[in-house]
Amino acid sequence: MTAASRHLLALCLLGLAGLLSACQAARLPWDTPAISPGVRVVGNEHVHTGDLLDAASPELESFRNKGRRPADADDAAYAMEALLREEGHPEAEVEFEIGPEQLVLTVVEGPLARMGKVRFEGVESVPESALRPFFDFSRSGFLGTGPVLYRDFELDSALSSVEDLYLRRGFYRVEVGPVRPEWNADRTCLGAVVPVQEGPRYTLTAIELEGLPDSYLAPVRELVGGPFRARDSVVTASAVRKQLYEEGYPFAHVRAHAEIDDEAATAVIQVVAKRGELTRVGRVCIRGTRRTKTRFLRKRLPLRTGDLLRRGQLDEGVGRMYSTGVLRRIRPELRPAGAGIADIDIEVEEGPARSLDFRVGWGSYELAMGSVTYRDLNFLGRGRAFEVTPMVSVRSQGIDVIVEDPWILGDQTLVFLKGSALRREEPFFDYRLYGFEAAVE
Protein backbone atom coordinates (compact mmCIF):
# COMPACT_ATOMS: atom_id res chain seq x y z
CA MET A 1 0.00 0.00 0.00
CA THR A 2 1.43 3.38 -0.96
CA ALA A 3 1.84 6.29 1.47
CA ALA A 4 -0.95 8.23 -0.28
CA SER A 5 -3.32 5.26 0.10
CA ARG A 6 -2.48 4.94 3.78
CA HIS A 7 -3.18 8.63 4.33
CA LEU A 8 -6.51 8.36 2.48
CA LEU A 9 -7.49 5.30 4.52
CA ALA A 10 -6.59 7.10 7.76
CA LEU A 11 -8.73 10.11 6.80
CA CYS A 12 -11.68 7.86 5.95
CA LEU A 13 -11.38 6.03 9.28
CA LEU A 14 -11.22 9.31 11.18
CA GLY A 15 -14.29 10.61 9.35
CA LEU A 16 -16.19 7.38 10.06
CA ALA A 17 -15.23 7.55 13.74
CA GLY A 18 -16.46 11.14 13.96
CA LEU A 19 -19.74 10.24 12.26
CA LEU A 20 -20.32 7.28 14.57
CA SER A 21 -19.54 9.44 17.59
CA ALA A 22 -22.00 12.09 16.45
CA CYS A 23 -24.70 9.52 15.82
CA GLN A 24 -24.08 7.99 19.22
CA ALA A 25 -24.41 11.39 20.91
CA ALA A 26 -27.46 12.48 18.90
CA ARG A 27 -30.97 11.67 19.96
CA LEU A 28 -33.00 9.95 17.32
CA PRO A 29 -36.83 9.82 17.33
CA TRP A 30 -36.89 6.04 17.45
CA ASP A 31 -34.54 5.79 20.46
CA THR A 32 -35.91 4.56 23.76
CA PRO A 33 -38.35 7.30 24.83
CA ALA A 34 -37.29 9.61 27.63
CA ILE A 35 -39.32 9.27 30.80
CA SER A 36 -40.82 12.11 32.80
CA PRO A 37 -42.99 11.10 35.77
CA GLY A 38 -46.67 11.59 35.06
CA VAL A 39 -46.07 12.93 31.52
CA ARG A 40 -46.44 11.20 28.17
CA VAL A 41 -45.58 12.65 24.76
CA VAL A 42 -47.13 11.06 21.68
CA GLY A 43 -47.24 11.79 17.94
CA ASN A 44 -43.72 13.08 17.40
CA GLU A 45 -41.72 11.53 14.55
CA HIS A 46 -38.68 13.68 13.82
CA VAL A 47 -38.03 15.48 17.11
CA HIS A 48 -36.98 13.28 20.01
CA THR A 49 -39.22 12.98 23.05
CA GLY A 50 -36.32 13.81 25.37
CA ASP A 51 -35.68 17.09 23.56
CA LEU A 52 -39.34 18.05 23.86
CA LEU A 53 -39.36 17.23 27.57
CA ASP A 54 -36.15 19.22 28.10
CA ALA A 55 -37.64 22.24 26.34
CA ALA A 56 -40.68 22.18 28.64
CA SER A 57 -38.87 21.10 31.80
CA PRO A 58 -39.58 24.22 33.94
CA GLU A 59 -43.25 24.25 32.95
CA LEU A 60 -43.67 20.53 33.62
CA GLU A 61 -42.01 20.90 37.01
CA SER A 62 -44.49 23.66 37.87
CA PHE A 63 -47.33 21.45 36.66
CA ARG A 64 -46.27 18.63 39.01
CA ASN A 65 -45.48 20.79 42.03
CA LYS A 66 -48.28 23.35 41.91
CA GLY A 67 -51.44 21.30 41.74
CA ARG A 68 -51.48 20.16 38.08
CA ARG A 69 -52.73 23.52 36.85
CA PRO A 70 -54.00 23.68 33.23
CA ALA A 71 -52.07 26.93 32.74
CA ASP A 72 -48.76 25.12 33.36
CA ALA A 73 -49.74 22.35 30.95
CA ASP A 74 -50.57 24.97 28.34
CA ASP A 75 -47.18 26.63 28.89
CA ALA A 76 -45.46 23.25 28.47
CA ALA A 77 -47.27 22.69 25.18
CA TYR A 78 -46.24 26.16 24.00
CA ALA A 79 -42.58 25.49 24.89
CA MET A 80 -42.67 22.27 22.86
CA GLU A 81 -44.24 24.09 19.91
CA ALA A 82 -41.44 26.65 20.06
CA LEU A 83 -38.82 23.87 19.88
CA LEU A 84 -40.61 22.20 16.96
CA ARG A 85 -40.62 25.49 15.05
CA GLU A 86 -36.90 25.90 15.76
CA GLU A 87 -36.41 22.44 14.25
CA GLY A 88 -38.11 23.43 10.99
CA HIS A 89 -41.77 22.57 11.65
CA PRO A 90 -43.53 25.94 11.26
CA GLU A 91 -47.04 24.50 11.53
CA ALA A 92 -46.39 22.32 14.58
CA GLU A 93 -49.10 22.09 17.21
CA VAL A 94 -49.11 20.48 20.64
CA GLU A 95 -52.36 19.72 22.47
CA PHE A 96 -52.62 18.53 26.05
CA GLU A 97 -55.04 16.42 28.05
CA ILE A 98 -54.90 16.17 31.82
CA GLY A 99 -55.84 12.66 32.89
CA PRO A 100 -56.25 11.31 36.42
CA GLU A 101 -52.67 9.95 36.42
CA GLN A 102 -50.92 11.39 33.39
CA LEU A 103 -50.55 14.58 31.39
CA VAL A 104 -50.68 13.54 27.74
CA LEU A 105 -49.12 15.93 25.20
CA THR A 106 -50.09 15.14 21.62
CA VAL A 107 -47.71 16.44 18.98
CA VAL A 108 -48.66 17.23 15.40
CA GLU A 109 -45.36 18.13 13.81
CA GLY A 110 -46.63 19.15 10.39
CA PRO A 111 -44.32 19.18 7.37
CA LEU A 112 -40.58 19.73 7.70
CA ALA A 113 -40.00 22.96 5.77
CA ARG A 114 -36.87 23.90 3.91
CA MET A 115 -36.20 27.58 3.52
CA GLY A 116 -37.46 28.88 0.19
CA LYS A 117 -36.98 32.18 -1.60
CA VAL A 118 -37.19 35.48 0.21
CA ARG A 119 -39.08 38.27 -1.54
CA PHE A 120 -39.26 41.91 -0.46
CA GLU A 121 -42.23 44.23 -0.84
CA GLY A 122 -42.00 47.99 -0.59
CA VAL A 123 -38.22 48.21 -0.78
CA GLU A 124 -37.29 51.28 -2.82
CA SER A 125 -34.60 53.32 -1.08
CA VAL A 126 -32.24 50.49 -0.10
CA PRO A 127 -30.85 47.98 -2.61
CA GLU A 128 -32.01 44.43 -1.98
CA SER A 129 -28.39 43.30 -2.18
CA ALA A 130 -27.85 45.09 1.14
CA LEU A 131 -30.71 43.15 2.75
CA ARG A 132 -30.24 39.62 1.46
CA PRO A 133 -27.12 38.79 3.55
CA PHE A 134 -29.34 38.98 6.65
CA PHE A 135 -31.26 35.97 5.29
CA ASP A 136 -28.24 33.73 4.66
CA PHE A 137 -29.13 31.19 7.33
CA SER A 138 -26.97 28.31 8.51
CA ARG A 139 -27.54 24.78 7.29
CA SER A 140 -28.94 22.05 9.51
CA GLY A 141 -27.58 18.58 10.19
CA PHE A 142 -24.21 17.14 11.07
CA LEU A 143 -21.41 19.64 10.28
CA GLY A 144 -23.92 21.80 8.40
CA THR A 145 -24.48 19.28 5.64
CA GLY A 146 -28.29 19.39 5.77
CA PRO A 147 -30.71 21.81 4.11
CA VAL A 148 -31.48 25.32 5.34
CA LEU A 149 -34.67 24.98 7.39
CA TYR A 150 -37.44 27.51 7.86
CA ARG A 151 -36.99 28.76 11.42
CA ASP A 152 -39.06 31.57 12.89
CA PHE A 153 -36.34 32.79 15.25
CA GLU A 154 -33.83 33.21 12.40
CA LEU A 155 -36.35 35.17 10.39
CA ASP A 156 -37.15 37.38 13.39
CA SER A 157 -33.45 38.12 13.80
CA ALA A 158 -33.17 38.97 10.10
CA LEU A 159 -36.15 41.33 10.32
CA SER A 160 -34.53 43.13 13.26
CA SER A 161 -31.33 43.53 11.24
CA VAL A 162 -33.26 44.95 8.27
CA GLU A 163 -35.08 47.40 10.53
CA ASP A 164 -31.82 48.45 12.19
CA LEU A 165 -30.26 49.13 8.77
CA TYR A 166 -33.16 51.38 7.81
CA LEU A 167 -33.07 53.22 11.14
CA ARG A 168 -29.33 53.87 10.75
CA ARG A 169 -30.08 55.44 7.37
CA GLY A 170 -32.64 57.83 8.79
CA PHE A 171 -35.95 56.04 8.15
CA TYR A 172 -37.26 56.85 11.59
CA ARG A 173 -40.78 55.41 11.11
CA VAL A 174 -39.86 52.28 9.16
CA GLU A 175 -41.90 49.13 9.74
CA VAL A 176 -40.59 45.71 8.73
CA GLY A 177 -42.74 42.57 8.73
CA PRO A 178 -44.53 40.53 9.75
CA VAL A 179 -43.36 37.82 7.38
CA ARG A 180 -45.89 36.16 5.11
CA PRO A 181 -44.91 32.50 4.52
CA GLU A 182 -45.48 30.96 1.07
CA TRP A 183 -45.48 27.18 0.52
CA ASN A 184 -44.40 25.65 -2.75
CA ALA A 185 -46.70 23.24 -4.57
CA ASP A 186 -45.62 20.05 -2.75
CA ARG A 187 -45.31 21.78 0.66
CA THR A 188 -41.64 20.96 1.15
CA CYS A 189 -40.28 24.50 0.79
CA LEU A 190 -41.52 27.56 2.61
CA GLY A 191 -40.59 30.94 1.25
CA ALA A 192 -40.98 34.30 2.95
CA VAL A 193 -42.43 37.59 1.81
CA VAL A 194 -40.94 40.48 3.79
CA PRO A 195 -43.09 43.64 3.65
CA VAL A 196 -41.29 46.92 4.33
CA GLN A 197 -43.01 50.25 4.88
CA GLU A 198 -40.08 52.60 4.55
CA GLY A 199 -41.73 55.92 5.24
CA PRO A 200 -39.80 59.15 4.65
CA ARG A 201 -36.14 59.64 5.41
CA TYR A 202 -35.79 62.03 8.35
CA THR A 203 -33.14 64.74 8.52
CA LEU A 204 -31.57 66.23 11.63
CA THR A 205 -31.89 69.99 11.05
CA ALA A 206 -30.48 71.40 14.29
CA ILE A 207 -29.06 70.72 17.76
CA GLU A 208 -30.01 73.28 20.40
CA LEU A 209 -28.08 73.55 23.68
CA GLU A 210 -29.38 75.23 26.82
CA GLY A 211 -27.15 76.02 29.81
CA LEU A 212 -23.77 75.86 28.08
CA PRO A 213 -21.95 77.62 25.20
CA ASP A 214 -22.53 76.13 21.74
CA SER A 215 -18.84 75.16 21.61
CA TYR A 216 -19.76 72.03 23.59
CA LEU A 217 -21.60 70.81 20.47
CA ALA A 218 -18.44 70.74 18.34
CA PRO A 219 -18.00 66.92 18.53
CA VAL A 220 -21.53 66.30 17.18
CA ARG A 221 -22.01 69.26 14.86
CA GLU A 222 -21.35 67.04 11.85
CA LEU A 223 -24.60 65.18 12.60
CA VAL A 224 -26.64 68.24 11.56
CA GLY A 225 -27.90 67.93 8.00
CA GLY A 226 -27.51 64.17 7.95
CA PRO A 227 -30.01 61.37 8.50
CA PHE A 228 -31.69 61.44 11.90
CA ARG A 229 -31.31 58.32 14.01
CA ALA A 230 -32.98 57.68 17.33
CA ARG A 231 -29.61 57.16 19.02
CA ASP A 232 -28.43 60.65 17.97
CA SER A 233 -29.99 62.12 21.12
CA VAL A 234 -28.00 59.71 23.29
CA VAL A 235 -24.81 60.35 21.31
CA THR A 236 -25.21 64.11 21.68
CA ALA A 237 -25.87 63.99 25.42
CA SER A 238 -22.92 61.65 25.89
CA ALA A 239 -20.56 63.96 23.98
CA VAL A 240 -21.54 67.01 26.05
CA ARG A 241 -21.39 65.04 29.30
CA LYS A 242 -17.92 63.68 28.50
CA GLN A 243 -16.51 67.18 28.05
CA LEU A 244 -17.94 68.29 31.38
CA TYR A 245 -16.54 65.22 33.10
CA GLU A 246 -13.09 65.94 31.68
CA GLU A 247 -13.25 69.53 32.94
CA GLY A 248 -13.83 68.41 36.52
CA TYR A 249 -17.63 68.41 36.74
CA PRO A 250 -18.35 64.76 37.67
CA PHE A 251 -21.90 65.52 38.85
CA ALA A 252 -22.99 67.33 35.69
CA HIS A 253 -26.53 66.61 34.45
CA VAL A 254 -27.19 66.47 30.72
CA ARG A 255 -30.51 65.53 29.11
CA ALA A 256 -31.33 65.39 25.41
CA HIS A 257 -34.51 64.62 23.51
CA ALA A 258 -35.62 64.92 19.92
CA GLU A 259 -38.53 66.99 18.63
CA ILE A 260 -39.93 65.17 15.59
CA ASP A 261 -41.83 66.90 12.78
CA ASP A 262 -43.48 64.07 10.86
CA GLU A 263 -44.93 66.34 8.16
CA ALA A 264 -41.55 67.79 7.26
CA ALA A 265 -39.65 64.57 8.13
CA THR A 266 -37.20 66.53 10.26
CA ALA A 267 -35.88 66.37 13.81
CA VAL A 268 -34.33 68.86 16.22
CA ILE A 269 -32.32 67.64 19.22
CA GLN A 270 -32.75 69.78 22.32
CA VAL A 271 -30.09 69.49 25.03
CA VAL A 272 -30.39 70.84 28.57
CA ALA A 273 -27.18 70.81 30.64
CA LYS A 274 -26.20 71.82 34.17
CA ARG A 275 -22.53 71.88 35.02
CA GLY A 276 -22.85 71.46 38.73
CA GLU A 277 -19.91 72.30 40.97
CA LEU A 278 -16.25 72.08 40.00
CA THR A 279 -15.04 69.13 42.08
CA ARG A 280 -11.69 68.03 43.43
CA VAL A 281 -10.60 64.67 44.79
CA GLY A 282 -10.94 64.21 48.53
CA ARG A 283 -10.24 60.86 50.15
CA VAL A 284 -9.55 57.74 48.06
CA CYS A 285 -10.59 54.49 49.75
CA ILE A 286 -10.16 51.00 48.30
CA ARG A 287 -12.11 48.28 50.10
CA GLY A 288 -12.46 44.53 49.69
CA THR A 289 -8.84 43.47 49.27
CA ARG A 290 -7.65 40.29 50.98
CA ARG A 291 -4.15 39.63 49.63
CA THR A 292 -3.61 42.57 47.31
CA LYS A 293 -1.76 45.56 48.72
CA THR A 294 -3.97 48.66 48.69
CA ARG A 295 -0.96 50.80 47.85
CA PHE A 296 -0.31 48.70 44.74
CA LEU A 297 -3.85 49.32 43.48
CA ARG A 298 -3.73 52.97 44.47
CA LYS A 299 -0.76 53.50 42.14
CA ARG A 300 -2.86 52.37 39.20
CA LEU A 301 -5.21 55.34 39.75
CA PRO A 302 -3.94 58.58 38.15
CA LEU A 303 -5.86 60.77 40.63
CA ARG A 304 -4.52 62.21 43.86
CA THR A 305 -6.11 64.19 46.67
CA GLY A 306 -6.62 67.78 45.49
CA ASP A 307 -6.67 66.93 41.77
CA LEU A 308 -9.63 67.92 39.61
CA LEU A 309 -11.93 64.93 39.61
CA ARG A 310 -12.02 63.95 35.96
CA ARG A 311 -14.16 60.89 35.25
CA GLY A 312 -12.02 59.93 32.28
CA GLN A 313 -9.02 59.54 34.58
CA LEU A 314 -11.11 57.53 37.02
CA ASP A 315 -12.20 55.20 34.21
CA GLU A 316 -8.58 54.92 33.08
CA GLY A 317 -7.55 53.96 36.61
CA VAL A 318 -10.25 51.31 36.84
CA GLY A 319 -9.01 49.89 33.54
CA ARG A 320 -5.46 49.73 34.89
CA MET A 321 -6.68 47.93 37.99
CA TYR A 322 -8.41 45.33 35.82
CA SER A 323 -5.23 44.94 33.77
CA THR A 324 -3.39 43.66 36.84
CA GLY A 325 -5.34 40.43 36.45
CA VAL A 326 -5.93 40.04 40.19
CA LEU A 327 -9.40 41.61 40.44
CA ARG A 328 -12.69 40.08 39.36
CA ARG A 329 -14.90 43.11 39.99
CA ILE A 330 -14.36 46.84 40.60
CA ARG A 331 -17.14 49.22 41.67
CA PRO A 332 -16.11 52.87 41.93
CA GLU A 333 -18.47 55.35 43.60
CA LEU A 334 -18.23 59.12 44.09
CA ARG A 335 -19.42 60.52 47.42
CA PRO A 336 -19.79 64.31 47.93
CA ALA A 337 -17.70 65.33 50.94
CA GLY A 338 -18.23 69.09 51.17
CA ALA A 339 -18.16 72.10 48.90
CA GLY A 340 -16.30 71.17 45.72
CA ILE A 341 -14.93 67.92 47.22
CA ALA A 342 -15.82 64.30 46.49
CA ASP A 343 -14.39 61.12 47.94
CA ILE A 344 -13.69 58.14 45.72
CA ASP A 345 -14.78 54.81 47.22
CA ILE A 346 -13.69 51.78 45.24
CA GLU A 347 -15.00 48.37 46.22
CA VAL A 348 -13.06 45.48 44.69
CA GLU A 349 -13.38 41.72 44.61
CA GLU A 350 -10.30 39.62 44.07
CA GLY A 351 -10.28 36.72 41.65
CA PRO A 352 -8.55 33.35 42.09
CA ALA A 353 -4.78 33.73 41.83
CA ARG A 354 -3.24 30.47 43.08
CA SER A 355 -3.16 27.14 41.30
CA LEU A 356 -1.46 23.77 41.70
CA ASP A 357 -0.79 21.47 38.73
CA PHE A 358 0.42 17.86 38.85
CA ARG A 359 2.06 15.95 36.00
CA VAL A 360 3.16 12.33 35.78
CA GLY A 361 4.76 10.43 32.93
CA TRP A 362 7.16 7.78 31.73
CA GLY A 363 10.33 8.11 29.66
CA SER A 364 12.51 5.50 28.02
CA TYR A 365 15.55 6.71 29.96
CA GLU A 366 14.11 8.73 32.84
CA LEU A 367 11.55 5.98 33.56
CA ALA A 368 8.85 7.21 35.99
CA MET A 369 8.73 10.98 36.24
CA GLY A 370 6.56 13.65 37.78
CA SER A 371 6.35 17.34 38.61
CA VAL A 372 4.29 19.77 40.66
CA THR A 373 3.78 23.40 39.62
CA TYR A 374 2.66 26.00 42.14
CA ARG A 375 1.58 29.25 40.53
CA ASP A 376 0.61 32.53 42.20
CA LEU A 377 -0.49 35.43 39.98
CA ASN A 378 -0.60 37.85 42.91
CA PHE A 379 2.73 37.14 44.58
CA LEU A 380 3.29 39.32 47.66
CA GLY A 381 0.02 41.10 46.87
CA ARG A 382 1.55 43.19 44.06
CA GLY A 383 0.32 41.53 40.87
CA ARG A 384 3.55 39.64 40.28
CA ALA A 385 3.50 36.13 38.83
CA PHE A 386 5.48 33.54 40.79
CA GLU A 387 5.91 29.94 39.67
CA VAL A 388 7.92 27.08 41.16
CA THR A 389 8.13 23.62 39.59
CA PRO A 390 10.04 20.83 41.36
CA MET A 391 10.62 17.82 39.07
CA VAL A 392 11.73 14.31 39.89
CA SER A 393 12.28 11.05 38.04
CA VAL A 394 14.08 7.78 38.71
CA ARG A 395 17.29 9.29 37.34
CA SER A 396 16.96 13.06 37.85
CA GLN A 397 15.86 15.84 40.14
CA GLY A 398 15.35 19.50 39.29
CA ILE A 399 13.54 22.72 40.03
CA ASP A 400 12.49 25.84 38.05
CA VAL A 401 11.56 29.14 39.68
CA ILE A 402 10.04 31.97 37.61
CA VAL A 403 9.09 35.51 38.64
CA GLU A 404 7.40 37.99 36.28
CA ASP A 405 6.91 41.59 37.38
CA PRO A 406 5.12 43.92 34.93
CA TRP A 407 4.99 46.87 37.35
CA ILE A 408 8.38 47.50 38.92
CA LEU A 409 9.67 49.45 35.88
CA GLY A 410 6.35 50.92 34.79
CA ASP A 411 3.07 49.63 33.39
CA GLN A 412 4.50 48.87 29.93
CA THR A 413 7.66 46.99 30.98
CA LEU A 414 7.89 43.33 31.99
CA VAL A 415 10.78 42.04 34.09
CA PHE A 416 11.32 38.28 33.71
CA LEU A 417 13.54 36.25 36.08
CA LYS A 418 14.14 32.51 35.99
CA GLY A 419 16.36 30.27 38.07
CA SER A 420 16.81 26.55 37.46
CA ALA A 421 18.75 23.58 38.79
CA LEU A 422 18.99 20.04 37.43
CA ARG A 423 20.87 16.88 38.41
CA ARG A 424 20.66 13.79 36.19
CA GLU A 425 22.40 10.43 36.34
CA GLU A 426 24.05 9.60 33.01
CA PRO A 427 25.56 6.14 32.30
CA PHE A 428 29.13 7.24 33.16
CA PHE A 429 28.76 10.54 35.04
CA ASP A 430 26.33 12.82 36.89
CA TYR A 431 25.12 15.83 34.90
CA ARG A 432 24.51 19.05 36.85
CA LEU A 433 23.06 22.32 35.54
CA TYR A 434 22.51 25.60 37.38
CA GLY A 435 21.08 28.50 35.44
CA PHE A 436 19.70 32.00 35.75
CA GLU A 437 17.90 34.10 33.14
CA ALA A 438 16.80 37.72 33.21
CA ALA A 439 14.96 39.67 30.56
CA VAL A 440 13.21 43.03 30.22
CA GLU A 441 10.46 43.45 27.62
Side-chain angles (χ1 to χ4, degrees):
M1 182 180 291
T2 64
S5 300
R6 286 196 298 270
H7 290 160
L8 181 60
L9 179 59
L11 289 174
C12 291
L13 291 174
L14 285 172
L16 180 60
L19 182 61
L20 291 174
S21 176
C23 291
Q24 184 177 5
R27 283 174 168 172
L28 301 175
W30 51 83
D31 288 342
T32 303
I35 297 174
S36 182
V39 179
R40 189 159 64 98
V41 179
V42 297
N44 53 309
E45 298 179 3
H46 297 92
V47 180
H48 192 273
T49 301
D51 293 331
L52 293 169
L53 291 173
D54 288 345
S57 177
E59 294 80 5
L60 292 174
E61 185 176 354
S62 295
F63 175 79
R64 283 190 289 265
N65 297 335
K66 297 183 178 180
R68 295 166 57 86
R69 298 180 303 186
D72 292 324
D74 189 53
D75 290 343
Y78 180 82
M80 291 184 179
E81 285 182 1
L83 175 65
L84 289 163
R85 288 186 168 87
E86 288 181 11
E87 296 297 325
H89 298 272
E91 295 183 352
E93 294 182 358
V94 179
E95 301 290 339
F96 70 90
E97 181 180 352
I98 302 176
E101 297 182 357
Q102 272 192 330
L103 167 65
V104 179
L105 293 145
T106 303
V107 177
V108 180
E109 290 182 345
L112 181 66
R114 291 177 296 167
M115 188 68 208
K117 293 183 179 179
V118 176
R119 296 193 298 110
F120 299 97
E121 289 183 350
V123 173
E124 298 177 356
S125 305
V126 176
E128 290 190 7
S129 59
L131 306 179
R132 291 203 173 277
F134 299 133
F135 297 86
D136 290 338
F137 303 138
S138 57
R139 290 181 171 273
S140 62
F142 177 63
L143 296 179
T145 56
V148 178
L149 299 179
Y150 186 100
R151 296 184 171 112
D152 289 336
F153 75 95
E154 290 185 326
L155 283 167
D156 291 341
S157 176
L159 295 188
S160 296
S161 299
V162 170
E163 184 177 280
D164 183 65
L165 183 145
Y166 269 96
L167 290 172
R168 285 187 279 109
R169 297 192 179 194
F171 294 88
Y172 183 67
R173 303 293 188 190
V174 66
E175 295 183 9
V176 181
V179 167
R180 295 201 311 273
E182 288 184 337
W183 284 103
N184 63 352
D186 57 1
R187 291 178 63 81
T188 57
C189 240
L190 190 58
V193 179
V194 180
V196 178
Q197 297 181 29
E198 294 180 340
R201 184 175 181 268
Y202 284 67
T203 302
L204 179 61
T205 57
I207 301 177
E208 300 174 354
L209 177 59
E210 179 184 333
L212 292 174
D214 286 346
S215 58
Y216 281 85
L217 296 178
V220 293
R221 205 176 300 281
E222 62 183 15
L223 298 177
V224 178
F228 170 70
R229 295 153 293 201
R231 62 184 177 88
D232 287 346
S233 298
V234 177
V235 170
T236 300
S238 178
V240 175
R241 191 180 297 113
K242 181 179 179 181
Q243 294 175 80
L244 292 172
Y245 285 170
E246 289 305 303
E247 292 175 358
Y249 298 95
F251 300 108
H253 292 280
V254 181
R255 298 194 312 269
H257 71 281
E259 292 289 339
I260 308 296
D261 185 339
D262 288 315
E263 292 186 2
T266 59
V268 175
I269 295 178
Q270 297 180 343
V271 186
V272 179
K274 294 181 180 180
R275 273 197 180 98
E277 195 172 22
L278 189 67
T279 304
R280 294 186 178 274
V281 178
R283 179 179 57 88
V284 179
C285 179
I286 299 176
R287 296 179 287 110
T289 56
R290 293 180 292 106
R291 298 183 57 219
T292 308
K293 302 295 184 183
T294 302
R295 184 180 177 185
F296 167 71
L297 295 178
R298 184 68 179 80
K299 287 184 177 180
R300 313 278 79 78
L301 190 68
L303 288 171
R304 300 291 180 266
T305 299
D307 291 349
L308 282 177
L309 207 169
R310 295 183 169 93
R311 288 235 186 185
Q313 289 183 314
L314 178 58
D315 293 339
E316 178 187 348
V318 170
R320 289 180 180 178
M321 289 183 186
Y322 272 122
S323 70
T324 64
V326 302
L327 299 178
R328 174 184 293 165
R329 187 175 293 110
I330 304 174
R331 294 176 180 172
E333 185 176 352
L334 302 180
R335 299 182 184 275
I341 300 294
D343 294 337
I344 303 176
D345 284 351
I346 303 176
E347 184 178 353
V348 302
E349 180 183 342
E350 295 181 357
R354 295 168 172 166
S355 63
L356 198 61
D357 298 332
F358 298 89
R359 296 182 181 180
V360 295
W362 181 271
S364 59
Y365 180 75
E366 300 281 351
L367 304 179
M369 64 181 68
S371 67
V372 179
T373 299
Y374 169 77
R375 187 178 294 107
D376 186 353
L377 301 179
N378 194 12
F379 183 53
L380 300 180
R382 298 182 181 275
R384 300 185 181 101
F386 172 79
E387 181 179 304
V388 57
T389 305
M391 302 162 284
V392 64
S393 72
V394 173
R395 291 194 169 98
S396 66
Q397 305 86 39
I399 188 170
D400 287 338
V401 179
I402 297 174
V403 177
E404 294 181 352
D405 192 334
W407 314 110
I408 192 170
L409 297 181
D411 291 2
Q412 303 297 323
T413 305
L414 174 67
V415 176
F416 174 85
L417 304 173
K418 179 180 179 180
S420 57
L422 175 65
R423 175 188 174 277
R424 187 170 63 208
E425 297 177 7
E426 299 291 348
F428 302 105
F429 62 92
D430 286 349
Y431 174 82
R432 288 182 174 85
L433 172 68
Y434 303 97
F436 178 78
E437 299 177 36
V440 177
E441 298 179 4

